[in-house]
Each structure stands twice: as C-alpha cells, then as structure tokens.
C-alpha cells in the first residue's frame, strides 16, 4: 500500500532528512513538504518532493514529520485555526527537540483534534541525517512504534522505543544537557592550558589516554583553536534553547542545576557576541577574557 508522508520544517535538519526520505522511500510512497519560507523548498522540489502551499494542503498526508525549531513554532504551524480541523485522522511524528511537558501537551491537543501523535527526537546532526544514521528515540505506544518503524528506520537504523510520550523527549534533552556541559567544560580547560603556556596537543594527548576523554572534544578542537564557528550543523541558539528547556524541567523536578545555569550564561554571552547562528563550539569565545570597560 502506498503512503503519503509529509514533513514540515526544512531548516538545517529538515532538509537532509527530506533528502534521505526522497532517496529511500519505496516507489509508490511520496513526500510532501511545507516550510514557512518557501525559498528553502526549491531544491527539494527539483529532487522530487511535492510542495504543499499551505498547512491544510500538507495535512492531506496520512503522517507528517515535524522538524521545527521549538514548541512555539509547532503550535503556530500545526495548531492554528486553519490547520486544526485538518488534523483528524492524521499522525504527527514530532522529531524536533522540545521539553517532555511540551510534548505531552501537544499530544493532548492533537488527540483532542482527532489526530494521533508520537515523538521521535534524534541525536546526530546533518551528516547523520544524510546517511540515515540518526539515533532515533521514540515516545509512543507499542502499536504506534510498530506502525511507523519502517519510516523511522530510513532516518536511523535502530529506532528505540523508550516509553510513552514525554520519555523520549526527556532522554533527548538529557543528551543535549551533556552536549552543553561537556563542551563548556572542555572549552574552559583548553582556554586555561593555552593561557598557561601548555601546548594544546600535550593537553589532548594526556586527555585522549584518560577516562575523561569524550570524542566530541576532538570534533570541536579545531574549531576552537581556529576560532572558526562558520557553517554550523547545530547553532548556539538551539543549544541555548535546549539548555533552558532542561533547566526549566529539572528545576521543576527540584534537581540542583547550578552547574547548568553557568552553561546557560556562557551560551547567552556567546549569543550576545553575535554567535547565535554560529556552531555551538562558539561558547569557547564567551569563555575567553572579555574586554573590560578600561580596555582601550
Ligand atoms: P533550523 O535550521 O533553525 O530550522 C527551523 C525550522 O523551523 C525552519 O524550517 C523554520 O522555518 C521553522 N520555523 C521556526 N519558527 C517557525 C514559526 N514560528 N513558524 C513556522 N516555521 C517556523 O533548525 P534545525 O537545526 O533544523 O533544528 C530543528 C529542530 O531539530 C530543533 O528543535 C533542533 O533543536 C532539533 N535538532 C537539531 C539538530 C541539528 O544538528 N541542527 C540535531 C538534532 C535535533 P523558516 O525556514 O521559515 O525559518
């Protein structure tokens, strides 16, 4: 049986995900795309995607993958007065990074409109989306998981059912908390050794042999040493968004979050340095001594 699959949000991640789906969907299946800024759809249309001119048109698809910035964007697009009546009988597969409480609320509202909802946030970025190697975490019931597994397997080899809606969002947010905390901790140590006259390679050689090493350190080392944050896969503004979401949820759960509050401040400073759209390794720039009022 052929399926009409939709995807909304062709930003940094939605675009390679759409490309992957176009390559891998079975013949007979089709991909329809919608994006607020239609210019971003031109190339994908040339690659074979059908373009929906409006959200109601997109909702002719039986399932729609959501890859939008945040919950506010999802609400603006999928729960508008124009969209809501078209949700009935449709399945929303929510793959953006949002908070567990936001995901549960969206689920309730989409179900109330007669639609179905599951969450499938991802770890990995543009290269993994292109090659179908995203780590897909699913919050759904077992029947939903079974139904949508073949579609999700196109984007990541081994989607994992975590539990009900909200649990996969929580797992994803926990991983992004680690991205922020590990990167900030690494940037601070790297800055310190540089200031103390320790060659970065000596620092890295010891670190790589130790239990403290994480592969992400080497992935970000060159960008930090060269202070080159251009062409991001994952921009600072989205890591700040996820850090704030984690802080809100963990504070509500009465966890001690002071260390992450420091990471948020560093990310906010990076954004105020004009690096919101840059690669998140730009938090290194915020850790450097900033000019003081007396500095000419
Ligand atoms: P992005 O490049 O900023 O794209 C955001 C998308 O959301 C664009 O299509 C944008 O439309 C749309 N959008 C934002 N606000 C909107 C609104 N109010 N109304 C309608 N559309 C709106 O972000 P991304 O990097 O693709 O990330 C998308 C989601 O995946 C985020 O939740 C992010 O945290 C998560 N994620 C990202 C990565 C990564 O490596 N980049 C990895 C895993 C998860 P326009 O084109 O019109 O602006």
């Amino acid at each position: 049986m052929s399926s009409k699959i939709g995807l909304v949000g062709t930003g940094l991640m939605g675009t390679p995900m759409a490309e992957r789906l176009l390559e891998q969907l079975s013949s007979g299946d089709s991909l329809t795309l919608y994006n607020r800024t239609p210019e971003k759809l031109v190339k994908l249309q040339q690659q074979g995607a059908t373009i929906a001119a409006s959200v109601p048109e997109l909702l002719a698809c039986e399932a729609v993958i959501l890859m939008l910035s945040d919950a506010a964007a999802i609400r603006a697009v999928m729960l508008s007065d124009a969209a809501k009546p078209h949700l009935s009988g449709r399945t929303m597969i929510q793959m953006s990074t949002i908070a567990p409480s936001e995901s549960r609320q969206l689920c309730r509202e989409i179900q109330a409109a007669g639609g179905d909802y599951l969450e499938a946030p991802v770890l990995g970025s543009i290269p993994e989306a292109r090659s179908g190697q995203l780590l897909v975490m699913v919050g759904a019931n077992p029947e939903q998981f079974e139904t949508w597994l073949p579609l999700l397997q196109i984007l990541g080899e081994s989607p994992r059912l975590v539990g009900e809606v909200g649990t996969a969002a929580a797992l994803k947010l926990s991983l992004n908390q680690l991205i922020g905390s590990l990167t900030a901790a690494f940037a601070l140590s790297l800055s310190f050794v540089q200031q103390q006259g320790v060659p970065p390679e000596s620092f890295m050689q010891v670190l790589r042999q130790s239990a403290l090493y994480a592969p992400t350190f080497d992935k970000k080392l060159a960008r930090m040493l060269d202070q080159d944050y251009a062409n991001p896969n994952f921009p600072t503004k989205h890591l700040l968004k996820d850090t704030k979401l984690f802080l809100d949820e963990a504070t509500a759960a009465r966890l001690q979050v002071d260390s992450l509050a420091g990471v948020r401040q560093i990310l906010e400073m990076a954004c105020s340095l004009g690096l919101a759209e840059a690669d998140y390794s730009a938090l290194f720039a915020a850790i450097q001594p900033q000019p003081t009022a007396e500095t000419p």
Side-chain angles (χ1 to χ4, degrees):
M1 204 182 72
S2 63
S3 311
K4 263 185 101 174
I5 303 300
L7 183 147
V8 56
T10 52
L12 285 173
M13 279 299 275
T15 296
M17 287 166 64
E19 286 171 347
R20 173 82 185 164
L21 289 167
L22 283 169
E23 277 168 24
Q24 300 287 325
L25 277 174
S26 319
S27 58
D29 292 349
S30 68
L31 183 69
T32 303
L33 304 173
Y34 173 81
N35 196 58
R36 174 179 64 177
T37 308
E39 290 73 26
K40 288 191 191 166
L41 296 166
V42 174
K43 199 167 151 238
L44 289 161
Q45 187 171 24
Q46 289 162 358
Q47 291 170 265
T50 303
I51 304 305
S54 66
V55 180
E57 215 176 293
L58 176 74
L59 285 168
C61 297
E62 60 188 276
V64 175
I65 292 172
L66 314 181
M67 204 55 190
L68 295 160
S69 305
D70 54 20
I74 296 171
R75 303 192 78 79
V77 177
M78 304 312 298
L79 289 167
S80 69
D81 290 345
K84 241 181 181 174
H86 300 270
L87 284 169
S88 181
R90 306 300 183 225
T91 298
M92 299 302 111
I93 305 176
Q94 197 310 102
M95 301 189 76
S96 332
T97 306
I98 62 173
S101 58
E102 292 174 328
S103 190
R104 286 191 289 263
Q105 179 63 23
L106 284 170
C107 179
R108 282 192 287 272
E109 291 183 45
I110 286 166
Q111 284 175 347
D116 201 8
Y117 177 96
L118 61 151
E119 61 185 13
V122 295
L123 188 68
S125 195
I126 297 170
E128 291 78 18
R130 281 209 184 101
S131 59
Q133 289 178 319
L134 292 169
L135 300 179
V136 184
M137 297 154 270
V138 185
N141 63 43
E143 295 72 33
Q144 290 172 313
F145 182 68
E146 193 80 0
T147 303
W148 298 109
L149 186 59
L151 176 65
L152 295 172
Q153 277 171 329
I154 295 176
L155 299 169
E157 272 168 29
S158 311
R160 171 189 293 264
L161 178 60
V162 182
E164 60 192 27
V165 167
T167 57
L171 173 49
K172 166 61 183 164
L173 219 47
S174 301
L175 295 168
N176 279 28
Q177 187 280 131
L178 278 176
I179 295 177
S181 292
L182 283 175
T183 309
F186 175 67
L188 181 59
S189 287
L190 181 63
S191 305
F192 183 72
V193 295
Q194 278 187 304
Q195 288 221 345
Q196 298 289 316
V198 178
E201 200 38 40
S202 301
F203 166 59
M204 291 307 297
Q205 279 167 2
V206 178
L207 182 58
R208 286 184 198 115
Q209 287 174 0
S210 78
L212 299 171
Y213 179 70
T216 187
F217 298 159
D218 264 310
K219 280 194 177 171
K220 295 301 171 189
L221 177 66
R223 277 188 178 276
M224 291 182 186
L225 291 178
D226 299 343
Q227 300 191 36
D228 173 10
Y229 315 118
N231 303 315
N233 285 343
F234 185 46
T236 311
K237 67 175 182 185
H238 284 335
L239 185 56
L240 175 58
K241 161 189 71 87
D242 298 343
T243 302
K244 286 177 172 170
L245 291 176
F246 187 96
L247 279 168
D248 287 349
E249 300 270 321
T251 304
R254 298 179 49 245
L255 297 176
Q256 165 50 261
V257 293
D258 284 359
S259 63
L260 191 63
V263 174
R264 178 189 57 201
Q265 279 182 21
I266 292 165
L267 289 165
E268 279 169 345
M269 190 188 291
C271 290
S272 71
L273 292 172
L275 296 165
E277 304 291 335
D279 184 86
Y280 69 87
S281 54
L283 59 77
F284 184 77
I287 282 174
Q288 302 314 301
Q290 303 299 311
T292 59
E294 298 83 54
T295 311

